[in-house]
Amino acid sequence: MSMKFSGQVALVTGAAAGIGRATAQAFAAEGLKVVVADYDAQGGEATVQLIRSAGGEATFIRCDVTKDVEVKALMDGVLAAYGRLDYAFNNAGIEIEKGKLADGNEDEFDAIMGVNVKGVWLCMKHQIPLLLAQGGGAIVNTASVAGLGAAPKMSIYAASKHAVIGLTKSAAIEYAKKQIRVNAVCPAVIDTDMFRRAYESDPKKAEFAAAMHPVGRVGKVEEIAAAVLYLCSDGASFTTGHALAVDGGSTAI
């Protein structure tokens, strides 16, 4: 399904693999110029090559989203490459917890909050002035179904995704009259390299993950990409401050 976009340039962070890569490819397939950003230079360059091989236009910029100076440099790079920014998908995130809340440690907390919360905040902080300068645009942040409820044995991760939704809703209200829409996408379990690594050693875990979703399977990266593109498209022009669950029905239970 083709979507209508008023803008020309999209930025995707965490685009070296998984949901970020699929979304960068989807933007490019719609004819947008795409800035691919990630800490992983090899993966990011591979995403660019996939886009170019399919006839699209993309540029890679390496960025650690936890560093203000690097995020500012990323936005400067966007302007240097394409002269504007219309859509931003703040997708960079990590997930490293393996135990209950009392078993966590400060390093895990700082790492998760640094990427998942500070990273989103810094990206929006530097993206919004660019969007204001040209009269508007759209931002989508990656949250999670863990940001809509509880996530046992992933309490810090859940807290970080609740925070992303809070940032999203607050920014949406602050800039609603400036024609900047800010939404979040909330995936459930998605079939990514991270998912496969976690479950390939134990097929029963994969079966459990599928059973978590009323539709009977985990999600596909392309399904999250489609949701992100919708939230950026003209079709979602009256949608802002929304956390969209793309979860196979898991939050409806």
Side-chain angles (χ1 to χ4, degrees):
M1 180 182 71
S2 180
M3 298 188 190
K4 183 180 178 183
F5 295 91
S6 297
Q8 307 166 358
V9 180
L11 164 66
V12 180
T13 70
I19 291 169
R21 171 175 286 177
T23 306
Q25 291 176 292
F27 273 127
E30 291 290 333
L32 277 71
K33 300 169 184 176
V34 183
V35 176
V36 171
D38 205 291
Y39 187 76
D40 174 7
Q42 183 175 358
E45 291 286 7
T47 298
V48 168
Q49 289 307 313
L50 286 169
I51 289 171
R52 290 177 178 171
S53 296
E57 185 171 350
T59 299
F60 173 71
I61 300 176
R62 186 179 183 277
C63 180
D64 179 348
V65 296
T66 69
K67 303 275 190 347
D68 182 87
V69 65
E70 293 198 24
V71 176
K72 175 62 166 63
L74 170 61
M75 302 313 154
D76 290 343
V78 171
L79 293 181
Y82 298 124
R84 60 186 291 135
L85 176 66
D86 300 287
Y87 311 107
F89 179 36
N90 297 318
N91 171 67
I94 59 173
E95 176 183 329
I96 59 176
E97 281 178 275
K98 298 185 183 302
K100 294 181 179 179
L101 187 146
D103 299 322
N105 62 67
E106 192 173 5
D107 288 342
E108 281 184 346
F109 185 93
D110 290 345
I112 293 169
M113 290 294 180
V115 177
N116 293 3
V117 183
K118 183 182 179 183
V120 169
W121 172 71
L122 282 174
C123 284
M124 287 202 294
K125 171 182 168 64
H126 290 292
Q127 289 158 358
I128 286 170
L130 273 60
L131 300 180
L132 287 172
Q134 64 190 41
I139 296 172
V140 178
N141 299 319
T142 296
S144 167
V145 292
L148 298 171
K153 296 188 178 179
M154 297 178 64
S155 58
I156 305 169
Y157 179 80
S160 75
K161 294 305 185 178
H162 277 267
V164 168
I165 292 173
L167 286 170
T168 298
K169 289 179 177 291
S170 298
I173 300 307
E174 289 176 357
Y175 296 98
K177 292 184 179 178
K178 298 295 185 180
Q179 308 306 312
I180 297 175
R181 295 185 299 103
V182 189
N183 293 289
V185 65
C186 300
V189 180
I190 305 300
D191 186 6
T192 63
D193 290 341
M194 183 186 298
F195 167 77
R196 292 175 197 145
R197 285 193 299 271
Y199 291 99
E200 64 186 2
S201 61
D202 187 350
K204 289 185 178 180
K205 288 185 177 180
E207 292 173 11
F208 175 76
M212 288 169 52
H213 310 85
V215 298
R217 64 173 175 85
V218 300
K220 301 174 183 178
V221 292
E222 294 82 6
E223 292 170 319
I224 308 304
V228 175
L229 263 66
Y230 163 70
L231 289 171
C232 288
S233 75
D234 293 351
S237 59
F238 199 54
T239 302
T240 194
H242 182 61
L244 176 62
V246 187
D247 65 349
S250 60
T251 57
I253 299 173

